[in-house]
Amino acid sequence: MVFLLLSIFDHLSSFGITFHLMKILFILNGAKPSARKFQSAIKRNMSDGNEFHFVFTTKKGSAIDLAENAAQTFDVIAPVGGDGTLSECVHGLMKAQKTQSNTPLLIPIPLGSGNDFARNFNWKNDEANWRMRLASKAPIPVDVGRIQYANGEETYFQNVTSAGFGPTVVNLVEKFPSGWPGNLKFGLSILIAFIRYKKQTIHVRGEDFTWSGKAMAVVIANGKYFGSGIGIAPKANVNDGFFNVTIIGNITIVDYLMQLRKLKKCKLIQHPEVHYHRSKHIELKCESSLEVDGESGKKGNCIITVFPSALRFK
């Protein structure tokens, strides 16, 4: 089949008709057995003429360097994993944009516990879905958030960053068996975090609002979902140039359980301790670390800025 396709391409090129076969790099989460199964499935069906390459992450953060180094060489980068793997690839490509002219397309393949960014587009991890997206002629521009910490460090996110009980939830999720469904792990972790987490004072300032008080969480959202399907920002749009900010103040576990059905349906919550805002620029001050795309981040005081339509997805 491959030789037949190449023969047809050579014949058509003699008439001045040319085709661009894409170089695709799959960056696979090395900690996920499902990623290795995915690689095996792709290798069994590589007859579409595109050039496929595979590389596995070896530790947290390694996808940043892999994506940055691949930016000038590849047409498409396909992160195979969860929101954390995708976030690292986004970070790497944003770094590459500072010095390089080429920015590859991103085709995320959701194989993580939460896969919350993929929910905005109903992306699946099956081969038919990503091949259909690859063949599409219409890339989707997506905003990217940059976090600048007070110590000078910076990172990027494509979905959500939060202050408050987010890192507690992330740490709890990692303690459950890897084979458990993501919804179950996140659901239990959120309930336990409500009991363990001591609400801290968080200060947040946007372009047209300021809020300060004891809070369960302050969520700066580019996408609608976090925590494996919790619709935390129902009005968020990944390419409108704005963050949606959801402030969850001094609420109880009973409040959360009463509103859980609405959260699962991604509906706005009517509660005196829940507030919604929009802003392109956020100043955040809190006592503990941030949660960034389902991973523990640095301690913040920080400034969070949106980069409109910074990357292209399919």
Side-chain angles (χ1 to χ4, degrees):
M1 182 64 179
V2 175
F3 295 110
L4 176 60
L5 286 170
L6 293 175
S7 176
I8 293 171
F9 293 160
D10 288 341
H11 181 70
L12 291 174
S13 65
S14 68
F15 292 94
I17 302 173
T18 59
F19 295 85
H20 175 58
L21 300 181
M22 290 182 287
K23 291 184 67 176
I24 304 168
L25 176 65
F26 292 88
I27 298 180
L28 303 101
N29 185 335
K32 297 280 184 183
S34 55
R36 297 189 180 276
K37 293 179 181 178
F38 182 88
Q39 181 198 30
S40 298
I42 298 303
K43 284 186 171 181
R44 287 196 298 268
N45 188 16
M46 294 174 60
S47 59
D48 64 355
N50 291 310
E51 184 179 329
F52 292 169
H53 298 259
F54 302 88
V55 63
F56 285 88
T57 62
T58 56
K59 60 183 179 180
K60 283 188 177 182
S62 64
I64 298 173
D65 293 334
L66 292 172
E68 181 181 11
N69 294 335
Q72 196 67 23
T73 306
F74 288 88
D75 303 298
V76 176
I77 289 179
V80 183
D83 290 308
T85 303
L86 172 57
S87 188
E88 289 184 14
C89 290
V90 165
H91 188 165
L93 293 185
M94 292 300 290
K95 287 178 66 179
Q97 280 189 355
K98 295 179 180 181
T99 58
Q100 301 179 22
S101 58
N102 182 58
T103 302
L105 288 167
L106 276 163
I107 299 185
I109 298 163
L111 282 177
S113 298
N115 303 317
D116 285 304
F117 187 73
R119 296 175 195 272
N120 292 282
F121 305 95
N122 199 31
W123 289 333
K124 306 297 183 184
N125 62 19
D126 61 273
E127 185 171 348
N129 182 269
W130 73 259
R131 285 190 181 275
M132 178 186 67
R133 287 153 53 198
L134 180 64
S136 168
K137 295 181 179 179
I140 304 166
V142 171
D143 303 338
V144 173
R146 180 184 67 189
I147 305 170
Q148 294 174 296
Y149 294 100
N151 66 359
E153 293 185 52
E154 67 178 26
T155 191
Y156 297 87
F157 66 97
Q158 81 283 340
N159 190 47
V160 164
T161 187
S162 68
F165 81 153
T168 303
V169 173
V170 168
N171 291 334
L172 288 166
V173 166
E174 292 177 350
K175 293 179 180 179
F176 285 105
S178 59
W180 285 22
N183 289 347
L184 178 59
K185 290 193 289 186
F186 273 97
L188 291 173
S189 296
I190 289 171
L191 291 176
I192 296 169
F194 260 97
I195 298 169
R196 291 186 180 180
Y197 176 73
K198 183 179 179 181
K199 297 181 185 72
Q200 61 176 281
T201 299
I202 300 176
H203 308 273
V204 56
R205 180 191 299 273
E207 291 166 305
D208 58 3
F209 76 94
T210 300
W211 187 91
S212 181
K214 295 285 186 181
M216 202 72 194
V218 173
V219 183
I220 293 88
N222 188 37
K224 296 178 184 292
Y225 303 94
F226 84 155
S228 193
I230 300 295
I232 196 65
K235 292 188 176 181
N237 185 324
V238 298
N239 52 18
D240 64 355
F242 285 88
F243 297 123
N244 279 50
V245 182
T246 301
I247 299 168
I248 305 169
N250 192 22
I251 67 170
T252 67
I253 190 170
V254 175
D255 293 323
Y256 170 73
L257 291 172
M258 289 180 66
Q259 301 294 341
L260 184 56
R261 190 171 181 180
K262 280 189 175 182
L263 287 168
K264 287 289 187 179
K265 292 184 177 181
C266 202
K267 293 184 177 181
L268 294 172
I269 303 301
Q270 304 296 325
H271 190 284
E273 290 291 329
V274 178
H275 313 278
Y276 299 96
H277 300 279
R278 295 174 83 230
S279 187
K280 298 178 180 179
H281 182 88
I282 305 290
E283 296 178 24
L284 190 64
K285 295 182 180 180
C286 59
E287 301 166 13
S288 63
S289 301
L290 301 184
E291 171 266 328
V292 182
D293 283 336
E295 304 287 341
S296 295
K298 305 288 184 182
K299 286 192 175 182
N301 303 332
C302 62
I303 295 173
I304 305 172
T305 309
V306 66
F307 283 64
S309 301
L311 296 174
R312 298 173 303 146
F313 285 67
K314 275 194 173 186

